Amino acid sequence: MQLRGEPLPLVIHGVHDMLYPVGTLDAWPDELPHSRLVFIVDQVDGQELEADIRRLLA
């Protein structure tokens, strides 16, 4: 999903309780304007996390 008015993909980094300034990429990966969520976690069940995220986004 591309955000209205934003021609380039936005990148948002958050670590622990820190949210860093929003940046952009030079182009869409694979030239496809699709949003992606990437989580790097420790001691978290990936399937449970995915199910929780899907419920929140529904």
Side-chain angles (χ1 to χ4, degrees):
M1 174 180 88
Q2 184 174 352
L3 293 178
R4 188 175 300 140
E6 293 292 336
L8 297 173
L10 299 178
V11 179
I12 302 169
H13 292 277
V15 180
H16 298 286
D17 60 349
M18 294 284 297
L19 189 60
Y20 294 89
V22 176
T24 58
L25 296 178
D26 293 333
W28 286 93
D30 304 325
E31 298 183 12
L32 299 174
H34 297 282
S35 296
R36 295 160 178 85
L37 291 175
V38 177
F39 293 87
I40 301 171
V41 297
D42 185 30
Q43 299 178 355
V44 175
D45 181 296
Q47 290 178 334
E48 187 176 322
L49 176 61
E50 182 178 351
D52 290 342
I53 299 286
R54 289 184 183 277
R55 275 194 297 277
L56 289 170
L57 295 175

